[in-house]
Amino acid sequence: MKALKELTRPNIWNLKPYSSARDEYKGVAASVFLDANENPYNDPYNRYPDPLQGNLKEELSRMKKVAPERIFLGNGSDEAIDLVYRAFCEPGKDNVVAIDPTYGMYEVCADVNNVSYRKVRLDAHFQFSAEAMVAASDENTKLMFLCSPNNPTGNNLHREEIIRLLAAFDGLVVVDEAYCDFSGERSLSQSLSEYPNLIVLQTFSKAWGCAAIRLGMAFASEEIIAVLNKIKYPYNVNLLTQQRALEALRRHEEVERWVEILCEERARLMDELEKLPCCVTVYPTHANFLLVKVTGAKRIYAYLVKEGIIVRNRSHITLCDDCLRITVGKREEDDLLLETLAKYKP
Ligand SMILES: *Cc1c(COP(=O)(O)O)cnc(C)c1O
């Protein structure tokens, strides 16, 4: 890997970050806070939240087996995605390489930040080649994006190929593990010491059932996390979110139960979909959704909408002709989908 200084935009590397009142005071317990122009009334919402989310990171560190200094928390993983562009990619000059198809936010953030986005097409099994990714890169490639299990295809990327890319590419590799709780794969966050160029993303939005609170995690070397912390908004994760997340962590057995139920339901939904005449292929999945090739995605999508059932039409996406992406729901919800599809007349 190149030195992090070489991969970071010079203005960011040299940046003196904003120092908030809560940053400057870190000491023994005090009882009078007259430093942040807060209102003394309306406790506890009158106080600015912990800018570095110390308590939450401590609990997460225990659960995820990653040191707190290697954890960044953001307003969804989407914040972390945007910040890696802003930290490492010089607009109009640098570029990134990503698998195609994948999660749309990587390209949107590239466009917002005026960073050129190079796509490398997956193969017929929705797998990638490290060699092809490296071949698509040049000296201005700062980042590569992988997503495993991948959205919208649902499959795990081959672990050996991810490892190969981490070794072969001298910039940073982002591996988005938003769906890893459903995948049965060990998280790459356990391999941060071996790969200083690795950034792993996870989220509270999927398995944790907390999309509304907006909380995403990035796991990386202490050095990379320090860069992200330097450029984030000082209070990017609000108090209510921090409290809710702590509450969720205390009830992690419930999350584990949801994941178990959803994985069983996923298998049932796959079997039942395969029996339907309008389903051509149900692709293998390690996520909480299924990519399904149907006899006419546009018409079936519109038919389902008319019946009050919303799925995602992915048919305009690379390698996803006539495909719908269907999230695994509760058994009753999936039954309604199946009954409705069974009544569909082509
Ligand atoms: C849903 C999803 C996310 C989650 O983003 P948040 O901003 O944390 O809600 C991240 N990556 C992928 C690939 C996703 O599908």
mmCIF file with all atom_site columns, all heavy atoms in Angstrom, residues 76-78 103 106 147 151 176 178-179 203 205-206 214-216, ligand 1:
data_model
loop_
_atom_site.group_PDB
_atom_site.id
_atom_site.type_symbol
_atom_site.label_atom_id
_atom_site.label_alt_id
_atom_site.label_comp_id
_atom_site.label_asym_id
_atom_site.label_entity_id
_atom_site.label_seq_id
_atom_site.pdbx_PDB_ins_code
_atom_site.Cartn_x
_atom_site.Cartn_y
_atom_site.Cartn_z
_atom_site.occupancy
_atom_site.B_iso_or_equiv
_atom_site.pdbx_formal_charge
_atom_site.auth_seq_id
_atom_site.auth_comp_id
_atom_site.auth_asym_id
_atom_site.auth_atom_id
_atom_site.pdbx_PDB_model_num
ATOM   1   N N   . GLY A 1 76  ? -25.523 6.870   8.881  1.00 0.00 ? 76  GLY A N   1
ATOM   2   C CA  . GLY A 1 76  ? -25.647 5.820   7.870  1.00 0.00 ? 76  GLY A CA  1
ATOM   3   C C   . GLY A 1 76  ? -24.292 5.496   7.271  1.00 0.00 ? 76  GLY A C   1
ATOM   4   O O   . GLY A 1 76  ? -23.351 6.289   7.414  1.00 0.00 ? 76  GLY A O   1
ATOM   5   N N   . SER A 1 77  ? -24.174 4.328   6.619  1.00 0.00 ? 77  SER A N   1
ATOM   6   C CA  . SER A 1 77  ? -22.905 4.053   5.916  1.00 0.00 ? 77  SER A CA  1
ATOM   7   C C   . SER A 1 77  ? -22.739 5.029   4.778  1.00 0.00 ? 77  SER A C   1
ATOM   8   O O   . SER A 1 77  ? -21.628 5.253   4.309  1.00 0.00 ? 77  SER A O   1
ATOM   9   C CB  . SER A 1 77  ? -22.795 2.641   5.338  1.00 0.00 ? 77  SER A CB  1
ATOM   10  O OG  . SER A 1 77  ? -23.801 1.817   5.746  1.00 0.00 ? 77  SER A OG  1
ATOM   11  N N   . ASP A 1 78  ? -23.844 5.601   4.331  1.00 0.00 ? 78  ASP A N   1
ATOM   12  C CA  . ASP A 1 78  ? -23.749 6.580   3.251  1.00 0.00 ? 78  ASP A CA  1
ATOM   13  C C   . ASP A 1 78  ? -22.821 7.737   3.621  1.00 0.00 ? 78  ASP A C   1
ATOM   14  O O   . ASP A 1 78  ? -22.112 8.260   2.761  1.00 0.00 ? 78  ASP A O   1
ATOM   15  C CB  . ASP A 1 78  ? -25.139 7.106   2.882  1.00 0.00 ? 78  ASP A CB  1
ATOM   16  C CG  . ASP A 1 78  ? -25.990 6.041   2.185  1.00 0.00 ? 78  ASP A CG  1
ATOM   17  O OD1 . ASP A 1 78  ? -25.419 5.002   1.770  1.00 0.00 ? 78  ASP A OD1 1
ATOM   18  O OD2 . ASP A 1 78  ? -27.212 6.231   2.050  1.00 0.00 ? 78  ASP A OD2 1
ATOM   19  N N   . TYR A 1 103 ? -24.137 -1.446  -5.428 1.00 0.00 ? 103 TYR A N   1
ATOM   20  C CA  . TYR A 1 103 ? -24.911 -0.418  -4.714 1.00 0.00 ? 103 TYR A CA  1
ATOM   21  C C   . TYR A 1 103 ? -24.732 0.949   -5.390 1.00 0.00 ? 103 TYR A C   1
ATOM   22  O O   . TYR A 1 103 ? -23.603 1.389   -5.638 1.00 0.00 ? 103 TYR A O   1
ATOM   23  C CB  . TYR A 1 103 ? -24.406 -0.380  -3.284 1.00 0.00 ? 103 TYR A CB  1
ATOM   24  C CG  . TYR A 1 103 ? -25.133 0.526   -2.321 1.00 0.00 ? 103 TYR A CG  1
ATOM   25  C CD1 . TYR A 1 103 ? -26.523 0.560   -2.255 1.00 0.00 ? 103 TYR A CD1 1
ATOM   26  C CD2 . TYR A 1 103 ? -24.409 1.340   -1.435 1.00 0.00 ? 103 TYR A CD2 1
ATOM   27  C CE1 . TYR A 1 103 ? -27.176 1.374   -1.341 1.00 0.00 ? 103 TYR A CE1 1
ATOM   28  C CE2 . TYR A 1 103 ? -25.047 2.151   -0.516 1.00 0.00 ? 103 TYR A CE2 1
ATOM   29  C CZ  . TYR A 1 103 ? -26.430 2.162   -0.481 1.00 0.00 ? 103 TYR A CZ  1
ATOM   30  O OH  . TYR A 1 103 ? -27.073 2.966   0.431  1.00 0.00 ? 103 TYR A OH  1
ATOM   31  N N   . TYR A 1 106 ? -22.242 4.418   -4.431 1.00 0.00 ? 106 TYR A N   1
ATOM   32  C CA  . TYR A 1 106 ? -20.821 4.649   -4.727 1.00 0.00 ? 106 TYR A CA  1
ATOM   33  C C   . TYR A 1 106 ? -20.694 5.573   -5.934 1.00 0.00 ? 106 TYR A C   1
ATOM   34  O O   . TYR A 1 106 ? -19.853 6.467   -5.944 1.00 0.00 ? 106 TYR A O   1
ATOM   35  C CB  . TYR A 1 106 ? -20.073 3.333   -5.012 1.00 0.00 ? 106 TYR A CB  1
ATOM   36  C CG  . TYR A 1 106 ? -20.360 2.196   -4.056 1.00 0.00 ? 106 TYR A CG  1
ATOM   37  C CD1 . TYR A 1 106 ? -20.470 0.890   -4.520 1.00 0.00 ? 106 TYR A CD1 1
ATOM   38  C CD2 . TYR A 1 106 ? -20.525 2.426   -2.696 1.00 0.00 ? 106 TYR A CD2 1
ATOM   39  C CE1 . TYR A 1 106 ? -20.726 -0.163  -3.662 1.00 0.00 ? 106 TYR A CE1 1
ATOM   40  C CE2 . TYR A 1 106 ? -20.792 1.374   -1.824 1.00 0.00 ? 106 TYR A CE2 1
ATOM   41  C CZ  . TYR A 1 106 ? -20.904 0.080   -2.317 1.00 0.00 ? 106 TYR A CZ  1
ATOM   42  O OH  . TYR A 1 106 ? -21.174 -0.963  -1.477 1.00 0.00 ? 106 TYR A OH  1
ATOM   43  N N   . CYS A 1 147 ? -18.656 -5.026  -2.669 1.00 0.00 ? 147 CYS A N   1
ATOM   44  C CA  . CYS A 1 147 ? -19.819 -5.131  -1.799 1.00 0.00 ? 147 CYS A CA  1
ATOM   45  C C   . CYS A 1 147 ? -20.137 -6.614  -1.679 1.00 0.00 ? 147 CYS A C   1
ATOM   46  O O   . CYS A 1 147 ? -20.389 -7.278  -2.686 1.00 0.00 ? 147 CYS A O   1
ATOM   47  C CB  . CYS A 1 147 ? -20.970 -4.368  -2.456 1.00 0.00 ? 147 CYS A CB  1
ATOM   48  S SG  . CYS A 1 147 ? -22.486 -4.334  -1.487 1.00 0.00 ? 147 CYS A SG  1
ATOM   49  N N   . ASN A 1 151 ? -25.167 -6.016  -3.486 1.00 0.00 ? 151 ASN A N   1
ATOM   50  C CA  . ASN A 1 151 ? -26.477 -5.489  -3.812 1.00 0.00 ? 151 ASN A CA  1
ATOM   51  C C   . ASN A 1 151 ? -26.400 -4.990  -5.260 1.00 0.00 ? 151 ASN A C   1
ATOM   52  O O   . ASN A 1 151 ? -25.498 -4.206  -5.557 1.00 0.00 ? 151 ASN A O   1
ATOM   53  C CB  . ASN A 1 151 ? -26.782 -4.322  -2.860 1.00 0.00 ? 151 ASN A CB  1
ATOM   54  C CG  . ASN A 1 151 ? -28.138 -3.699  -3.080 1.00 0.00 ? 151 ASN A CG  1
ATOM   55  O OD1 . ASN A 1 151 ? -28.893 -4.123  -3.941 1.00 0.00 ? 151 ASN A OD1 1
ATOM   56  N ND2 . ASN A 1 151 ? -28.442 -2.667  -2.308 1.00 0.00 ? 151 ASN A ND2 1
ATOM   57  N N   . ASP A 1 176 ? -18.013 -3.316  1.402  1.00 0.00 ? 176 ASP A N   1
ATOM   58  C CA  . ASP A 1 176 ? -19.291 -2.993  2.045  1.00 0.00 ? 176 ASP A CA  1
ATOM   59  C C   . ASP A 1 176 ? -19.968 -4.292  2.476  1.00 0.00 ? 176 ASP A C   1
ATOM   60  O O   . ASP A 1 176 ? -20.367 -5.104  1.644  1.00 0.00 ? 176 ASP A O   1
ATOM   61  C CB  . ASP A 1 176 ? -20.162 -2.220  1.048  1.00 0.00 ? 176 ASP A CB  1
ATOM   62  C CG  . ASP A 1 176 ? -21.422 -1.634  1.679  1.00 0.00 ? 176 ASP A CG  1
ATOM   63  O OD1 . ASP A 1 176 ? -21.852 -2.136  2.738  1.00 0.00 ? 176 ASP A OD1 1
ATOM   64  O OD2 . ASP A 1 176 ? -21.978 -0.684  1.102  1.00 0.00 ? 176 ASP A OD2 1
ATOM   65  N N   . ALA A 1 178 ? -22.840 -4.573  4.283  1.00 0.00 ? 178 ALA A N   1
ATOM   66  C CA  . ALA A 1 178 ? -24.157 -4.204  4.826  1.00 0.00 ? 178 ALA A CA  1
ATOM   67  C C   . ALA A 1 178 ? -25.017 -5.426  5.150  1.00 0.00 ? 178 ALA A C   1
ATOM   68  O O   . ALA A 1 178 ? -25.834 -5.393  6.068  1.00 0.00 ? 178 ALA A O   1
ATOM   69  C CB  . ALA A 1 178 ? -24.883 -3.292  3.833  1.00 0.00 ? 178 ALA A CB  1
ATOM   70  N N   . TYR A 1 179 ? -24.826 -6.507  4.385  1.00 0.00 ? 179 TYR A N   1
ATOM   71  C CA  . TYR A 1 179 ? -25.687 -7.697  4.538  1.00 0.00 ? 179 TYR A CA  1
ATOM   72  C C   . TYR A 1 179 ? -24.958 -8.873  5.163  1.00 0.00 ? 179 TYR A C   1
ATOM   73  O O   . TYR A 1 179 ? -25.436 -10.004 5.090  1.00 0.00 ? 179 TYR A O   1
ATOM   74  C CB  . TYR A 1 179 ? -26.244 -8.090  3.162  1.00 0.00 ? 179 TYR A CB  1
ATOM   75  C CG  . TYR A 1 179 ? -27.063 -6.983  2.549  1.00 0.00 ? 179 TYR A CG  1
ATOM   76  C CD1 . TYR A 1 179 ? -26.510 -6.108  1.623  1.00 0.00 ? 179 TYR A CD1 1
ATOM   77  C CD2 . TYR A 1 179 ? -28.385 -6.781  2.936  1.00 0.00 ? 179 TYR A CD2 1
ATOM   78  C CE1 . TYR A 1 179 ? -27.247 -5.062  1.084  1.00 0.00 ? 179 TYR A CE1 1
ATOM   79  C CE2 . TYR A 1 179 ? -29.126 -5.740  2.403  1.00 0.00 ? 179 TYR A CE2 1
ATOM   80  C CZ  . TYR A 1 179 ? -28.549 -4.887  1.481  1.00 0.00 ? 179 TYR A CZ  1
ATOM   81  O OH  . TYR A 1 179 ? -29.291 -3.860  0.964  1.00 0.00 ? 179 TYR A OH  1
ATOM   82  N N   . THR A 1 203 ? -23.693 -1.629  8.801  1.00 0.00 ? 203 THR A N   1
ATOM   83  C CA  . THR A 1 203 ? -24.778 -0.679  9.050  1.00 0.00 ? 203 THR A CA  1
ATOM   84  C C   . THR A 1 203 ? -25.777 -1.226  10.064 1.00 0.00 ? 203 THR A C   1
ATOM   85  O O   . THR A 1 203 ? -25.880 -2.439  10.228 1.00 0.00 ? 203 THR A O   1
ATOM   86  C CB  . THR A 1 203 ? -25.514 -0.350  7.734  1.00 0.00 ? 203 THR A CB  1
ATOM   87  O OG1 . THR A 1 203 ? -26.582 0.542   8.003  1.00 0.00 ? 203 THR A OG1 1
ATOM   88  C CG2 . THR A 1 203 ? -26.067 -1.599  7.066  1.00 0.00 ? 203 THR A CG2 1
ATOM   89  N N   . SER A 1 205 ? -28.848 -0.562  9.476  1.00 0.00 ? 205 SER A N   1
ATOM   90  C CA  . SER A 1 205 ? -30.084 -0.435  8.694  1.00 0.00 ? 205 SER A CA  1
ATOM   91  C C   . SER A 1 205 ? -30.721 -1.755  8.279  1.00 0.00 ? 205 SER A C   1
ATOM   92  O O   . SER A 1 205 ? -31.875 -1.768  7.886  1.00 0.00 ? 205 SER A O   1
ATOM   93  C CB  . SER A 1 205 ? -29.816 0.375   7.421  1.00 0.00 ? 205 SER A CB  1
ATOM   94  O OG  . SER A 1 205 ? -29.403 1.686   7.751  1.00 0.00 ? 205 SER A OG  1
ATOM   95  N N   . LYS A 1 206 ? -29.993 -2.866  8.298  1.00 0.00 ? 206 LYS A N   1
ATOM   96  C CA  . LYS A 1 206 ? -30.534 -4.101  7.729  1.00 0.00 ? 206 LYS A CA  1
ATOM   97  C C   . LYS A 1 206 ? -30.808 -5.116  8.841  1.00 0.00 ? 206 LYS A C   1
ATOM   98  O O   . LYS A 1 206 ? -31.873 -5.093  9.428  1.00 0.00 ? 206 LYS A O   1
ATOM   99  C CB  . LYS A 1 206 ? -29.586 -4.643  6.653  1.00 0.00 ? 206 LYS A CB  1
ATOM   100 C CG  . LYS A 1 206 ? -29.224 -3.592  5.590  1.00 0.00 ? 206 LYS A CG  1
ATOM   101 C CD  . LYS A 1 206 ? -30.382 -3.262  4.657  1.00 0.00 ? 206 LYS A CD  1
ATOM   102 C CE  . LYS A 1 206 ? -30.292 -1.899  3.993  1.00 0.00 ? 206 LYS A CE  1
ATOM   103 N NZ  . LYS A 1 206 ? -29.177 -1.658  3.105  1.00 0.00 ? 206 LYS A NZ  1
ATOM   104 N N   . ARG A 1 214 ? -30.442 5.910   11.346 1.00 0.00 ? 214 ARG A N   1
ATOM   105 C CA  . ARG A 1 214 ? -29.286 6.329   10.537 1.00 0.00 ? 214 ARG A CA  1
ATOM   106 C C   . ARG A 1 214 ? -27.976 6.138   11.307 1.00 0.00 ? 214 ARG A C   1
ATOM   107 O O   . ARG A 1 214 ? -27.427 7.072   11.896 1.00 0.00 ? 214 ARG A O   1
ATOM   108 C CB  . ARG A 1 214 ? -29.410 7.802   10.085 1.00 0.00 ? 214 ARG A CB  1
ATOM   109 C CG  . ARG A 1 214 ? -30.691 8.195   9.437  1.00 0.00 ? 214 ARG A CG  1
ATOM   110 C CD  . ARG A 1 214 ? -31.048 7.334   8.242  1.00 0.00 ? 214 ARG A CD  1
ATOM   111 N NE  . ARG A 1 214 ? -30.011 7.326   7.245  1.00 0.00 ? 214 ARG A NE  1
ATOM   112 C CZ  . ARG A 1 214 ? -29.515 6.203   6.687  1.00 0.00 ? 214 ARG A CZ  1
ATOM   113 N NH1 . ARG A 1 214 ? -29.953 5.005   7.032  1.00 0.00 ? 214 ARG A NH1 1
ATOM   114 N NH2 . ARG A 1 214 ? -28.566 6.280   5.789  1.00 0.00 ? 214 ARG A NH2 1
ATOM   115 N N   . LEU A 1 215 ? -27.477 4.923   11.296 1.00 0.00 ? 215 LEU A N   1
ATOM   116 C CA  . LEU A 1 215 ? -26.181 4.675   11.910 1.00 0.00 ? 215 LEU A CA  1
ATOM   117 C C   . LEU A 1 215 ? -25.399 3.666   11.076 1.00 0.00 ? 215 LEU A C   1
ATOM   118 O O   . LEU A 1 215 ? -25.848 2.539   10.859 1.00 0.00 ? 215 LEU A O   1
ATOM   119 C CB  . LEU A 1 215 ? -26.346 4.160   13.347 1.00 0.00 ? 215 LEU A CB  1
ATOM   120 C CG  . LEU A 1 215 ? -25.022 4.004   14.123 1.00 0.00 ? 215 LEU A CG  1
ATOM   121 C CD1 . LEU A 1 215 ? -24.314 5.342   14.309 1.00 0.00 ? 215 LEU A CD1 1
ATOM   122 C CD2 . LEU A 1 215 ? -25.257 3.351   15.475 1.00 0.00 ? 215 LEU A CD2 1
ATOM   123 N N   . GLY A 1 216 ? -24.245 4.103   10.619 1.00 0.00 ? 216 GLY A N   1
ATOM   124 C CA  . GLY A 1 216 ? -23.363 3.235   9.842  1.00 0.00 ? 216 GLY A CA  1
ATOM   125 C C   . GLY A 1 216 ? -21.993 3.166   10.496 1.00 0.00 ? 216 GLY A C   1
ATOM   126 O O   . GLY A 1 216 ? -21.610 4.056   11.257 1.00 0.00 ? 216 GLY A O   1
HETATM 127 C C1  . LIG B 2 .   ? -28.688 -0.695  2.485  1.00 0.00 ? 1   LIG B C1  1
HETATM 128 C C2  . LIG B 2 .   ? -27.251 -0.586  2.159  1.00 0.00 ? 1   LIG B C2  1
HETATM 129 C C3  . LIG B 2 .   ? -26.424 0.221   2.933  1.00 0.00 ? 1   LIG B C3  1
HETATM 130 C C4  . LIG B 2 .   ? -26.959 0.961   4.103  1.00 0.00 ? 1   LIG B C4  1
HETATM 131 O O1  . LIG B 2 .   ? -26.752 2.297   4.061  1.00 0.00 ? 1   LIG B O1  1
HETATM 132 P P1  . LIG B 2 .   ? -27.139 3.174   5.351  1.00 0.00 ? 1   LIG B P1  1
HETATM 133 O O2  . LIG B 2 .   ? -26.760 4.533   4.919  1.00 0.00 ? 1   LIG B O2  1
HETATM 134 O O3  . LIG B 2 .   ? -26.288 2.657   6.476  1.00 0.00 ? 1   LIG B O3  1
HETATM 135 O O4  . LIG B 2 .   ? -28.593 2.970   5.601  1.00 0.00 ? 1   LIG B O4  1
HETATM 136 C C5  . LIG B 2 .   ? -25.074 0.256   2.646  1.00 0.00 ? 1   LIG B C5  1
HETATM 137 N N1  . LIG B 2 .   ? -24.558 -0.470  1.639  1.00 0.00 ? 1   LIG B N1  1
HETATM 138 C C6  . LIG B 2 .   ? -25.327 -1.272  0.888  1.00 0.00 ? 1   LIG B C6  1
HETATM 139 C C7  . LIG B 2 .   ? -24.719 -2.090  -0.168 1.00 0.00 ? 1   LIG B C7  1
HETATM 140 C C8  . LIG B 2 .   ? -26.699 -1.338  1.118  1.00 0.00 ? 1   LIG B C8  1
HETATM 141 O O5  . LIG B 2 .   ? -27.454 -2.117  0.343  1.00 0.00 ? 1   LIG B O5  1
#
